[in-house]
Amino acid sequence: MRTFAPVPSVIFGLVALGASSVIFGSWYTIDQGERGVVLRYGAIVGTAEPGLGLKLPLIDSIVRISVQSKAAVYENMEAYSRDQQPATVKLSVNYRIPIDRVATVYELYGSEDGLLSRLVERKVFEETKTVFGRFNAVTAIQERARLNQEVAAAIQKSVSGPVMIDSVQIENIDFSDAYEASIEQRMLAEVEVQKLRQNAEREKVQAEITVTQANALADARRAEAQAQADAVRLQAQADAEAIRLKGEAEATAIKARGDALKDNPGLVSLTQAERWDGRLPSTMLPNGALPMIDLKAPPMSDGETGFTQ
């Protein structure tokens, strides 16, 4: 015999389930970093602020959209430099959705992901390739900051819609292995050239120092030779002057003696007598005269010498 649940119990369960759905489906919460888009039968009727809110159960629905700043990272972006060098670029874009544009984001793109894929990503790829193509491979590496600045400016200018691009950062640039090997060889060659230039400059400076030292030594030797020559010349002049003075003195003395002899004829005999030791010669010639004695001289008076004057 079959038994069936009472009909009132089933009805009560259905009513309780419906009541629970109505009760729990009539309120919602929005986080601080979000805004809600209120839909009624799928149509936008308003936006919801953070906190607890009420809605019509089974009629209204809430779509939550983040308004916080986020970063979208794009890896393996392929691009070509102006000199036709292929590269893979990794780039990050910091963006945020303005609070007053959340309804527009849902209306035009359906969600945040739709906004990124249909608006931001397309412009990021397009502008990055365009700007990167203006740089040579070497310039893109050496002037990375300028490349990043121009890419960011191009993306911020081209992205027009319910989103704000705060910043763009090129995180990495990879060229082909063959090109990077050639760059390494080129850099090594440049380093070697720079080294040779430094050596040449060092040798040039050393040569200049050597020339300067040689000139200084030559100048010192010339100065020393000139000083020696001047000393010899001055010594010769001094010697010549001494000889001249000595000659003049001797000439003056001779002249004075000559004048004395002329005025005093007996001065010679007097000098001889003063120097005579009083001894007569041991040998005398017949009829020879005695030295310094004049036998024919007249008798001397008192006070006169026995020598002729």
Side-chain angles (χ1 to χ4, degrees):
M1 181 177 180
R2 294 182 178 181
T3 59
F4 295 93
V7 174
S9 298
V10 174
I11 295 175
F12 178 78
L14 293 175
V15 172
L17 179 62
S20 299
S21 299
V22 170
I23 292 173
F24 290 104
S26 62
W27 56 273
Y28 61 89
T29 57
I30 302 295
D31 291 337
Q32 185 62 43
E34 298 177 334
R35 293 298 183 272
V37 179
V38 182
L39 304 176
R40 182 166 296 168
Y41 298 114
I44 299 175
V45 295
T47 58
E49 296 294 322
L52 180 65
L54 298 176
K55 65 183 180 65
L56 296 176
L58 305 177
I59 296 176
D60 293 345
S61 61
I62 306 298
V63 177
R64 294 170 177 81
I65 296 178
S66 175
V67 293
Q68 293 178 332
S69 179
K70 295 183 178 181
V73 180
Y74 300 96
E75 300 185 11
N76 301 323
M77 292 176 53
E78 295 183 355
Y80 283 87
S81 62
R82 189 171 63 181
D83 52 352
Q84 300 301 312
Q85 293 297 331
T88 301
V89 181
K90 180 180 179 181
L91 181 143
S92 62
V93 178
N94 293 320
Y95 70 94
R96 57 187 171 85
I97 297 174
I99 295 176
D100 58 347
R101 303 298 300 277
V102 291
T104 304
V105 169
Y106 181 80
E107 180 182 0
L108 297 179
Y109 302 101
S111 64
E112 181 181 345
D113 292 338
L115 172 69
L116 291 176
S117 62
R118 293 165 55 190
L119 175 62
V120 177
E121 182 176 318
R122 182 170 61 86
K123 293 297 184 181
V124 167
F125 277 66
E126 179 182 343
E127 297 301 329
T128 300
K129 291 180 179 181
T130 300
V131 175
F132 193 82
R134 300 173 189 163
F135 287 74
N136 291 329
V138 175
T139 308
I141 296 174
Q142 293 178 345
E143 300 183 15
R144 176 83 166 267
R146 183 168 70 90
L147 172 62
N148 193 101
Q149 182 180 5
E150 292 187 11
V151 169
I155 292 175
Q156 289 172 335
K157 182 179 180 181
S158 64
V159 174
S160 178
V163 63
M164 297 291 295
I165 304 298
D166 294 328
S167 64
V168 177
Q169 182 65 41
I170 296 178
E171 298 184 7
N172 190 34
I173 301 175
D174 283 332
F175 289 96
S176 64
D177 294 339
Y179 181 74
E180 290 182 353
S182 67
I183 290 294
E184 183 179 0
Q185 294 297 324
R186 183 185 305 174
M187 294 301 295
L188 292 176
E190 290 180 358
V191 170
E192 186 64 25
V193 170
Q194 186 65 25
K195 186 176 180 180
L196 292 175
R197 288 178 179 174
Q198 291 177 352
N199 291 337
E201 288 295 329
R202 184 172 61 252
E203 291 177 357
K204 179 180 178 182
V205 172
Q206 187 62 40
E208 292 177 353
I209 293 175
T210 302
V211 171
T212 302
Q213 292 176 344
N215 291 336
L217 181 60
D219 291 340
R221 288 179 177 177
R222 282 195 296 268
E224 183 180 0
Q226 184 64 39
Q228 292 178 353
D230 292 341
V232 172
R233 179 176 55 82
L234 293 175
Q235 184 63 40
Q237 291 177 350
D239 293 344
E241 182 67 16
I243 292 173
R244 184 184 66 81
L245 293 175
K246 182 178 180 182
E248 290 180 354
E250 290 179 351
T252 301
I254 292 173
K255 182 176 181 301
R257 295 165 102 187
D259 292 340
L261 289 173
K262 182 173 65 174
D263 296 336
N264 300 283
L267 181 59
V268 175
S269 299
L270 177 61
T271 301
Q272 291 176 347
E274 289 176 348
R275 295 181 178 179
W276 184 41
D277 57 1
R279 295 178 181 179
L280 294 176
S282 58
T283 302
M284 296 181 60
L285 296 176
N287 300 322
L290 292 175
M292 297 177 294
I293 299 177
D294 188 1
L295 299 177
K296 297 180 179 182
M300 293 181 296
S301 61
D302 294 339
E304 293 181 345
T305 65
F307 300 98
T308 57
Q309 299 293 325

